[in-house]
Amino acid sequence: MAFGIYQLRRALPKPRPKILGVIVATTVLLIFFYTQLLTHEWTSELHQAFVLSRHIQNYSVLLQPRSCLAGGPITLLLALKSHSSHSDRREALRSTWAKEQIVDGQVVRRVFLLGLPGDDLIAQADSLDALVREESRQHGDILQWAFRESFFNVTLKELLFWRWFQEECSRLVLYVLKGDDDVFVDVRRILNFLKMHHDPTEPLYVGHRFVDSYPVRFWWNKYYIPPSMFSGVYPPYVGGGGYLLSRETIRLLLEASSVVPLFPIDDAYVGMCAQVANVSARHHRGFMPFEFLPSRHPCTYFGVLVLHSLKPKDLYLLWVFYRTQWYTCLGAVSNPNL
Ligand SMILES: *[C@@H]1O[C@H](CO)[C@@H](O)[C@H](O)[C@H]1NC(C)=O
Ligand SMILES: *[C@@H]1O[C@H](CO)[C@@H](O)[C@H](O)[C@H]1NC(C)=O
Ligand SMILES: *[C@@H]1O[C@H](CO)[C@@H](O)[C@H](O)[C@H]1NC(C)=O
């Protein structure tokens, strides 16, 4: 016999007005506290220090890459944010997808963007500096500035890169892939995308786009932004893990940055400059469509342009798989996300 809604209603105790009152009052209180939380200005010394020092941007270049100093035109420059202590990741990238190469006549070059070891690594700073200098001597792919790495200095790195690029590279380079040092990129697909889908006279700013996203207002969160620093919604921006820019876009962003005060969240800052420069953020579903999980079959990711959050070991495995067994993915899996 079916247990119908009628029996169910009889089986449950009748809601009593008192309980209802308590529920309503609690809900109202919760909503009240939540809105308070979202609009409250939590004093944060870190944010105050940031606001007071963000105009200081004249950090000098300590190490320069070879890429734009010698040689001819570069189709794609891979500009990857890294840290002094991430030599394992840089090594993995150099020997896998981020190696310098020529694909069908298109030159691909690489540069790692570094500051000085942050306060958390101050004890090892000297040995790390020596290692980075040695890496730079060997590979010629390090661009390092004289500021200390910190969560709040990430945007500074972005801005200093634009400046360096404009001065040193913009005559030679057509496109830049900006990314983190834990991403996997299908460089061939990126080059194909550029050839097929981009009009070189138009600015390009494409990646995984976020629209109508709000600053984090929970003070315990790393990404917390006080209302006094930014109110409203962020302009459209693409995720900083991996995205594409044309050299014209970098010129426009750099120009716009003179009127946009530095902001702690680097990818949102790029969106703010893009809005001022009237460059639209384009979405492409091949950019970071989902988290990488080593437990999934490599074919799950076949066809993706940029994946993020890979350990060096997984990077090697995925790279080797795509080099040797990519054809097993054809027709075997149809990726519903692409
Ligand atoms: C940056 O500018 C300030 C003020 O103009 C100056 O005191 C400082 O020495 C400069 N730093 C560098 C590295 O050039
Ligand atoms: C950024 O780097 C500079 C130079 O090392 C340092 O003085 C400053 O405190 C850093 N800023 C933050 C917010 O960490
Ligand atoms: C921004 O770009 C759009 C389309 O590209 C154009 O119609 C508009 O006039 C531009 N606005 C400014 C202020 O440059």
mmCIF file of all heavy atoms in Angstrom, residues 211-248:
data_model
loop_
_atom_site.group_PDB
_atom_site.id
_atom_site.type_symbol
_atom_site.label_atom_id
_atom_site.label_comp_id
_atom_site.label_asym_id
_atom_site.label_seq_id
_atom_site.Cartn_x
_atom_site.Cartn_y
_atom_site.Cartn_z
ATOM 1 N N VAL A 211 31.576 36.622 -14.740
ATOM 2 C CA VAL A 211 30.737 37.808 -14.900
ATOM 3 C C VAL A 211 29.943 38.001 -13.614
ATOM 4 O O VAL A 211 29.512 37.029 -12.990
ATOM 5 C CB VAL A 211 29.772 37.633 -16.098
ATOM 6 C CG1 VAL A 211 28.891 38.859 -16.263
ATOM 7 C CG2 VAL A 211 30.552 37.400 -17.378
ATOM 8 N N ASP A 212 29.740 39.239 -13.205
ATOM 9 C CA ASP A 212 28.948 39.566 -12.012
ATOM 10 C C ASP A 212 29.453 38.874 -10.759
ATOM 11 O O ASP A 212 28.645 38.410 -9.954
ATOM 12 C CB ASP A 212 27.469 39.184 -12.218
ATOM 13 C CG ASP A 212 26.808 40.071 -13.253
ATOM 14 O OD1 ASP A 212 27.331 41.181 -13.482
ATOM 15 O OD2 ASP A 212 25.798 39.654 -13.832
ATOM 16 N N SER A 213 30.747 38.765 -10.578
ATOM 17 C CA SER A 213 31.195 38.150 -9.333
ATOM 18 C C SER A 213 31.506 39.248 -8.315
ATOM 19 O O SER A 213 31.930 40.350 -8.666
ATOM 20 C CB SER A 213 32.382 37.222 -9.560
ATOM 21 O OG SER A 213 33.451 37.931 -10.097
ATOM 22 N N TYR A 214 31.221 38.917 -7.069
ATOM 23 C CA TYR A 214 31.361 39.876 -5.978
ATOM 24 C C TYR A 214 32.661 39.645 -5.229
ATOM 25 O O TYR A 214 33.144 38.514 -5.147
ATOM 26 C CB TYR A 214 30.205 39.700 -4.982
ATOM 27 C CG TYR A 214 28.904 40.288 -5.448
ATOM 28 C CD1 TYR A 214 28.029 39.546 -6.239
ATOM 29 C CD2 TYR A 214 28.554 41.584 -5.101
ATOM 30 C CE1 TYR A 214 26.827 40.073 -6.675
ATOM 31 C CE2 TYR A 214 27.356 42.133 -5.526
ATOM 32 C CZ TYR A 214 26.498 41.371 -6.318
ATOM 33 O OH TYR A 214 25.322 41.907 -6.751
ATOM 34 N N PRO A 215 33.206 40.729 -4.633
ATOM 35 C CA PRO A 215 34.370 40.535 -3.763
ATOM 36 C C PRO A 215 33.983 39.693 -2.550
ATOM 37 O O PRO A 215 32.828 39.708 -2.134
ATOM 38 C CB PRO A 215 34.719 41.951 -3.314
ATOM 39 C CG PRO A 215 33.891 42.888 -4.092
ATOM 40 C CD PRO A 215 32.786 42.131 -4.721
ATOM 41 N N VAL A 216 34.924 38.955 -2.009
ATOM 42 C CA VAL A 216 34.672 38.144 -0.820
ATOM 43 C C VAL A 216 34.571 39.071 0.388
ATOM 44 O O VAL A 216 35.435 39.929 0.593
ATOM 45 C CB VAL A 216 35.825 37.132 -0.631
ATOM 46 C CG1 VAL A 216 35.678 36.394 0.683
ATOM 47 C CG2 VAL A 216 35.870 36.160 -1.788
ATOM 48 N N ARG A 217 33.505 38.919 1.166
ATOM 49 C CA ARG A 217 33.309 39.813 2.317
ATOM 50 C C ARG A 217 33.477 39.100 3.654
ATOM 51 O O ARG A 217 33.112 39.641 4.688
ATOM 52 C CB ARG A 217 31.920 40.447 2.266
ATOM 53 C CG ARG A 217 31.687 41.329 1.060
ATOM 54 C CD ARG A 217 32.512 42.598 1.094
ATOM 55 N NE ARG A 217 32.050 43.540 0.082
ATOM 56 C CZ ARG A 217 32.825 44.381 -0.575
ATOM 57 N NH1 ARG A 217 34.120 44.410 -0.327
ATOM 58 N NH2 ARG A 217 32.335 45.185 -1.479
ATOM 59 N N PHE A 218 33.941 37.862 3.648
ATOM 60 C CA PHE A 218 34.148 37.136 4.910
ATOM 61 C C PHE A 218 35.570 37.385 5.372
ATOM 62 O O PHE A 218 36.515 37.012 4.682
ATOM 63 C CB PHE A 218 33.910 35.638 4.712
ATOM 64 C CG PHE A 218 32.568 35.341 4.103
ATOM 65 C CD1 PHE A 218 32.460 34.831 2.820
ATOM 66 C CD2 PHE A 218 31.405 35.593 4.807
ATOM 67 C CE1 PHE A 218 31.222 34.578 2.253
ATOM 68 C CE2 PHE A 218 30.162 35.350 4.244
ATOM 69 C CZ PHE A 218 30.072 34.839 2.966
ATOM 70 N N TRP A 219 35.720 37.996 6.536
ATOM 71 C CA TRP A 219 37.050 38.479 6.920
ATOM 72 C C TRP A 219 38.052 37.361 7.136
ATOM 73 O O TRP A 219 39.245 37.578 7.090
ATOM 74 C CB TRP A 219 36.950 39.347 8.168
ATOM 75 C CG TRP A 219 36.796 38.562 9.425
ATOM 76 C CD1 TRP A 219 37.823 38.141 10.217
ATOM 77 C CD2 TRP A 219 35.611 38.088 10.027
ATOM 78 N NE1 TRP A 219 37.331 37.429 11.288
ATOM 79 C CE2 TRP A 219 35.973 37.388 11.189
ATOM 80 C CE3 TRP A 219 34.242 38.178 9.718
ATOM 81 C CZ2 TRP A 219 35.037 36.776 12.019
ATOM 82 C CZ3 TRP A 219 33.325 37.581 10.548
ATOM 83 C CH2 TRP A 219 33.725 36.894 11.665
ATOM 84 N N TRP A 220 37.550 36.125 7.363
ATOM 85 C CA TRP A 220 38.484 35.027 7.609
ATOM 86 C C TRP A 220 39.037 34.452 6.298
ATOM 87 O O TRP A 220 39.941 33.656 6.307
ATOM 88 C CB TRP A 220 37.817 33.927 8.430
ATOM 89 C CG TRP A 220 36.606 33.324 7.758
ATOM 90 C CD1 TRP A 220 36.599 32.328 6.830
ATOM 91 C CD2 TRP A 220 35.236 33.705 7.942
ATOM 92 N NE1 TRP A 220 35.320 32.066 6.428
ATOM 93 C CE2 TRP A 220 34.462 32.895 7.098
ATOM 94 C CE3 TRP A 220 34.584 34.657 8.735
ATOM 95 C CZ2 TRP A 220 33.083 33.004 7.038
ATOM 96 C CZ3 TRP A 220 33.215 34.749 8.677
ATOM 97 C CH2 TRP A 220 32.480 33.940 7.833
ATOM 98 N N ASN A 221 38.476 34.877 5.195
ATOM 99 C CA ASN A 221 38.917 34.352 3.902
ATOM 100 C C ASN A 221 40.144 35.112 3.404
ATOM 101 O O ASN A 221 40.265 36.321 3.565
ATOM 102 C CB ASN A 221 37.768 34.493 2.897
ATOM 103 C CG ASN A 221 38.037 33.792 1.595
ATOM 104 O OD1 ASN A 221 38.935 34.162 0.846
ATOM 105 N ND2 ASN A 221 37.271 32.763 1.309
ATOM 106 N N LYS A 222 41.049 34.375 2.777
ATOM 107 C CA LYS A 222 42.266 34.951 2.219
ATOM 108 C C LYS A 222 41.968 36.067 1.205
ATOM 109 O O LYS A 222 42.710 37.024 1.068
ATOM 110 C CB LYS A 222 43.009 33.791 1.547
ATOM 111 C CG LYS A 222 44.269 34.107 0.829
ATOM 112 C CD LYS A 222 44.903 32.790 0.334
ATOM 113 C CE LYS A 222 45.804 33.055 -0.848
ATOM 114 N NZ LYS A 222 46.412 31.849 -1.391
ATOM 115 N N TYR A 223 40.855 35.919 0.497
ATOM 116 C CA TYR A 223 40.527 36.859 -0.564
ATOM 117 C C TYR A 223 39.643 38.008 -0.091
ATOM 118 O O TYR A 223 39.075 38.737 -0.898
ATOM 119 C CB TYR A 223 39.845 36.135 -1.733
ATOM 120 C CG TYR A 223 40.731 35.105 -2.382
ATOM 121 C CD1 TYR A 223 40.640 33.756 -2.058
ATOM 122 C CD2 TYR A 223 41.691 35.491 -3.311
ATOM 123 C CE1 TYR A 223 41.472 32.818 -2.640
ATOM 124 C CE2 TYR A 223 42.530 34.564 -3.895
ATOM 125 C CZ TYR A 223 42.411 33.232 -3.566
ATOM 126 O OH TYR A 223 43.244 32.312 -4.149
ATOM 127 N N TYR A 224 39.511 38.171 1.216
ATOM 128 C CA TYR A 224 38.645 39.211 1.769
ATOM 129 C C TYR A 224 39.009 40.599 1.234
ATOM 130 O O TYR A 224 40.185 40.965 1.185
ATOM 131 C CB TYR A 224 38.758 39.211 3.304
ATOM 132 C CG TYR A 224 38.082 40.403 3.944
ATOM 133 C CD1 TYR A 224 36.698 40.524 3.900
ATOM 134 C CD2 TYR A 224 38.825 41.412 4.553
ATOM 135 C CE1 TYR A 224 36.070 41.620 4.453
ATOM 136 C CE2 TYR A 224 38.212 42.522 5.115
ATOM 137 C CZ TYR A 224 36.833 42.622 5.063
ATOM 138 O OH TYR A 224 36.214 43.714 5.604
ATOM 139 N N ILE A 225 37.979 41.345 0.841
ATOM 140 C CA ILE A 225 38.171 42.726 0.379
ATOM 141 C C ILE A 225 37.250 43.634 1.184
ATOM 142 O O ILE A 225 36.035 43.454 1.164
ATOM 143 C CB ILE A 225 37.813 42.850 -1.134
ATOM 144 C CG1 ILE A 225 38.791 42.043 -2.002
ATOM 145 C CG2 ILE A 225 37.799 44.305 -1.576
ATOM 146 C CD1 ILE A 225 40.230 42.516 -1.951
ATOM 147 N N PRO A 226 37.792 44.600 1.908
ATOM 148 C CA PRO A 226 36.929 45.503 2.673
ATOM 149 C C PRO A 226 36.092 46.376 1.734
ATOM 150 O O PRO A 226 36.589 46.762 0.666
ATOM 151 C CB PRO A 226 37.921 46.382 3.455
ATOM 152 C CG PRO A 226 39.274 45.834 3.210
ATOM 153 C CD PRO A 226 39.215 44.932 2.021
ATOM 154 N N PRO A 227 34.835 46.678 2.115
ATOM 155 C CA PRO A 227 33.983 47.502 1.249
ATOM 156 C C PRO A 227 34.625 48.839 0.868
ATOM 157 O O PRO A 227 34.385 49.351 -0.214
ATOM 158 C CB PRO A 227 32.725 47.724 2.096
ATOM 159 C CG PRO A 227 32.695 46.573 3.024
ATOM 160 C CD PRO A 227 34.109 46.224 3.323
ATOM 161 N N SER A 228 35.465 49.400 1.768
ATOM 162 C CA SER A 228 36.074 50.692 1.440
ATOM 163 C C SER A 228 37.069 50.558 0.280
ATOM 164 O O SER A 228 37.369 51.533 -0.409
ATOM 165 C CB SER A 228 36.803 51.263 2.646
ATOM 166 O OG SER A 228 37.866 50.406 3.015
ATOM 167 N N MET A 229 37.567 49.353 0.066
ATOM 168 C CA MET A 229 38.528 49.160 -1.011
ATOM 169 C C MET A 229 37.833 48.937 -2.349
ATOM 170 O O MET A 229 38.305 49.377 -3.398
ATOM 171 C CB MET A 229 39.402 47.948 -0.691
ATOM 172 C CG MET A 229 40.609 47.805 -1.569
ATOM 173 S SD MET A 229 41.602 46.424 -1.027
ATOM 174 C CE MET A 229 43.020 47.273 -0.406
ATOM 175 N N PHE A 230 36.692 48.235 -2.300
ATOM 176 C CA PHE A 230 35.935 48.024 -3.533
ATOM 177 C C PHE A 230 34.472 47.734 -3.192
ATOM 178 O O PHE A 230 34.197 46.879 -2.368
ATOM 179 C CB PHE A 230 36.502 46.844 -4.329
ATOM 180 C CG PHE A 230 35.870 46.684 -5.684
ATOM 181 C CD1 PHE A 230 36.357 47.389 -6.773
ATOM 182 C CD2 PHE A 230 34.756 45.860 -5.863
ATOM 183 C CE1 PHE A 230 35.765 47.268 -8.020
ATOM 184 C CE2 PHE A 230 34.150 45.739 -7.110
ATOM 185 C CZ PHE A 230 34.676 46.442 -8.187
ATOM 186 N N SER A 231 33.555 48.457 -3.842
ATOM 187 C CA SER A 231 32.140 48.142 -3.640
ATOM 188 C C SER A 231 31.527 47.785 -4.976
ATOM 189 O O SER A 231 32.040 48.199 -6.014
ATOM 190 C CB SER A 231 31.415 49.330 -3.015
ATOM 191 O OG SER A 231 31.518 50.427 -3.882
ATOM 192 N N GLY A 232 30.449 47.016 -4.925
ATOM 193 C CA GLY A 232 29.784 46.620 -6.164
ATOM 194 C C GLY A 232 30.333 45.316 -6.710
ATOM 195 O O GLY A 232 30.974 44.562 -5.981
ATOM 196 N N VAL A 233 30.054 45.080 -7.988
ATOM 197 C CA VAL A 233 30.519 43.828 -8.608
ATOM 198 C C VAL A 233 31.765 44.091 -9.435
ATOM 199 O O VAL A 233 31.968 45.184 -9.940
ATOM 200 C CB VAL A 233 29.460 43.189 -9.541
ATOM 201 C CG1 VAL A 233 28.347 42.561 -8.757
ATOM 202 C CG2 VAL A 233 28.945 44.182 -10.542
ATOM 203 N N TYR A 234 32.583 43.053 -9.560
ATOM 204 C CA TYR A 234 33.769 43.165 -10.404
ATOM 205 C C TYR A 234 33.338 43.269 -11.863
ATOM 206 O O TYR A 234 32.359 42.641 -12.275
ATOM 207 C CB TYR A 234 34.635 41.912 -10.253
ATOM 208 C CG TYR A 234 35.361 41.802 -8.934
ATOM 209 C CD1 TYR A 234 35.526 40.566 -8.320
ATOM 210 C CD2 TYR A 234 35.909 42.914 -8.306
ATOM 211 C CE1 TYR A 234 36.200 40.429 -7.111
ATOM 212 C CE2 TYR A 234 36.587 42.795 -7.103
ATOM 213 C CZ TYR A 234 36.731 41.552 -6.505
ATOM 214 O OH TYR A 234 37.401 41.434 -5.334
ATOM 215 N N PRO A 235 34.072 44.019 -12.647
ATOM 216 C CA PRO A 235 33.811 43.961 -14.097
ATOM 217 C C PRO A 235 34.165 42.563 -14.602
ATOM 218 O O PRO A 235 34.882 41.836 -13.912
ATOM 219 C CB PRO A 235 34.761 45.010 -14.665
ATOM 220 C CG PRO A 235 35.726 45.342 -13.607
ATOM 221 C CD PRO A 235 35.163 44.930 -12.301
ATOM 222 N N PRO A 236 33.657 42.176 -15.777
ATOM 223 C CA PRO A 236 33.990 40.834 -16.286
ATOM 224 C C PRO A 236 35.508 40.659 -16.366
ATOM 225 O O PRO A 236 36.204 41.572 -16.794
ATOM 226 C CB PRO A 236 33.384 40.832 -17.686
ATOM 227 C CG PRO A 236 32.367 41.907 -17.685
ATOM 228 C CD PRO A 236 32.826 42.930 -16.710
ATOM 229 N N TYR A 237 35.993 39.509 -15.926
ATOM 230 C CA TYR A 237 37.426 39.235 -16.025
ATOM 231 C C TYR A 237 37.615 37.753 -16.261
ATOM 232 O O TYR A 237 36.701 36.960 -16.051
ATOM 233 C CB TYR A 237 38.167 39.680 -14.754
ATOM 234 C CG TYR A 237 37.838 38.892 -13.512
ATOM 235 C CD1 TYR A 237 38.620 37.799 -13.133
ATOM 236 C CD2 TYR A 237 36.748 39.227 -12.715
ATOM 237 C CE1 TYR A 237 38.323 37.067 -11.987
ATOM 238 C CE2 TYR A 237 36.449 38.508 -11.572
ATOM 239 C CZ TYR A 237 37.233 37.437 -11.206
ATOM 240 O OH TYR A 237 36.933 36.710 -10.078
ATOM 241 N N VAL A 238 38.799 37.377 -16.733
ATOM 242 C CA VAL A 238 39.048 35.953 -16.944
ATOM 243 C C VAL A 238 39.983 35.425 -15.865
ATOM 244 O O VAL A 238 40.825 36.170 -15.352
ATOM 245 C CB VAL A 238 39.600 35.653 -18.368
ATOM 246 C CG1 VAL A 238 38.647 36.163 -19.434
ATOM 247 C CG2 VAL A 238 40.983 36.232 -18.564
ATOM 248 N N GLY A 239 39.811 34.163 -15.507
ATOM 249 C CA GLY A 239 40.585 33.553 -14.433
ATOM 250 C C GLY A 239 42.080 33.644 -14.705
ATOM 251 O O GLY A 239 42.538 33.407 -15.823
ATOM 252 N N GLY A 240 42.852 34.001 -13.658
ATOM 253 C CA GLY A 240 44.275 34.253 -13.835
ATOM 254 C C GLY A 240 45.132 33.004 -14.002
ATOM 255 O O GLY A 240 46.320 33.109 -14.296
ATOM 256 N N GLY A 241 44.553 31.827 -13.847
ATOM 257 C CA GLY A 241 45.331 30.593 -13.960
ATOM 258 C C GLY A 241 45.941 30.391 -15.328
ATOM 259 O O GLY A 241 47.037 29.847 -15.467
ATOM 260 N N GLY A 242 45.229 30.839 -16.365
ATOM 261 C CA GLY A 242 45.745 30.709 -17.726
ATOM 262 C C GLY A 242 44.828 31.436 -18.697
ATOM 263 O O GLY A 242 43.644 31.109 -18.783
ATOM 264 N N TYR A 243 45.342 32.438 -19.386
ATOM 265 C CA TYR A 243 44.520 33.178 -20.348
ATOM 266 C C TYR A 243 45.419 33.812 -21.400
ATOM 267 O O TYR A 243 46.642 33.889 -21.243
ATOM 268 C CB TYR A 243 43.659 34.238 -19.653
ATOM 269 C CG TYR A 243 44.423 35.298 -18.892
ATOM 270 C CD1 TYR A 243 44.621 36.568 -19.426
ATOM 271 C CD2 TYR A 243 44.946 35.036 -17.633
ATOM 272 C CE1 TYR A 243 45.324 37.545 -18.730
ATOM 273 C CE2 TYR A 243 45.647 35.997 -16.939
ATOM 274 C CZ TYR A 243 45.836 37.251 -17.487
ATOM 275 O OH TYR A 243 46.535 38.209 -16.796
ATOM 276 N N LEU A 244 44.788 34.278 -22.472
ATOM 277 C CA LEU A 244 45.532 34.806 -23.619
ATOM 278 C C LEU A 244 45.333 36.302 -23.791
ATOM 279 O O LEU A 244 44.224 36.813 -23.615
ATOM 280 C CB LEU A 244 45.027 34.137 -24.897
ATOM 281 C CG LEU A 244 45.666 32.827 -25.346
ATOM 282 C CD1 LEU A 244 44.901 32.306 -26.560
ATOM 283 C CD2 LEU A 244 47.135 33.027 -25.698
ATOM 284 N N LEU A 245 46.423 36.966 -24.156
ATOM 285 C CA LEU A 245 46.378 38.400 -24.442
ATOM 286 C C LEU A 245 47.128 38.640 -25.746
ATOM 287 O O LEU A 245 48.081 37.925 -26.046
ATOM 288 C CB LEU A 245 47.107 39.177 -23.351
ATOM 289 C CG LEU A 245 46.603 39.116 -21.921
ATOM 290 C CD1 LEU A 245 47.677 39.610 -20.971
ATOM 291 C CD2 LEU A 245 45.348 39.939 -21.783
ATOM 292 N N SER A 246 46.712 39.678 -26.466
ATOM 293 C CA SER A 246 47.523 40.075 -27.619
ATOM 294 C C SER A 246 48.400 41.241 -27.177
ATOM 295 O O SER A 246 48.145 41.869 -26.161
ATOM 296 C CB SER A 246 46.629 40.500 -28.780
ATOM 297 O OG SER A 246 45.872 41.625 -28.409
ATOM 298 N N ARG A 247 49.417 41.537 -27.958
ATOM 299 C CA ARG A 247 50.324 42.610 -27.497
ATOM 300 C C ARG A 247 49.610 43.942 -27.437
ATOM 301 O O ARG A 247 49.903 44.769 -26.588
ATOM 302 C CB ARG A 247 51.561 42.672 -28.386
ATOM 303 C CG ARG A 247 51.308 43.236 -29.756
ATOM 304 C CD ARG A 247 52.618 43.598 -30.424
ATOM 305 N NE ARG A 247 52.454 43.627 -31.858
ATOM 306 C CZ ARG A 247 53.388 43.242 -32.717
ATOM 307 N NH1 ARG A 247 54.550 42.806 -32.280
ATOM 308 N NH2 ARG A 247 53.166 43.295 -33.994
ATOM 309 N N GLU A 248 48.645 44.137 -28.334
ATOM 310 C CA GLU A 248 47.880 45.382 -28.312
ATOM 311 C C GLU A 248 47.092 45.492 -27.007
ATOM 312 O O GLU A 248 46.972 46.566 -26.426
ATOM 313 C CB GLU A 248 46.940 45.420 -29.533
ATOM 314 C CG GLU A 248 45.927 46.535 -29.562
ATOM 315 C CD GLU A 248 46.546 47.930 -29.664
ATOM 316 O OE1 GLU A 248 47.791 48.026 -29.713
ATOM 317 O OE2 GLU A 248 45.786 48.910 -29.658
#
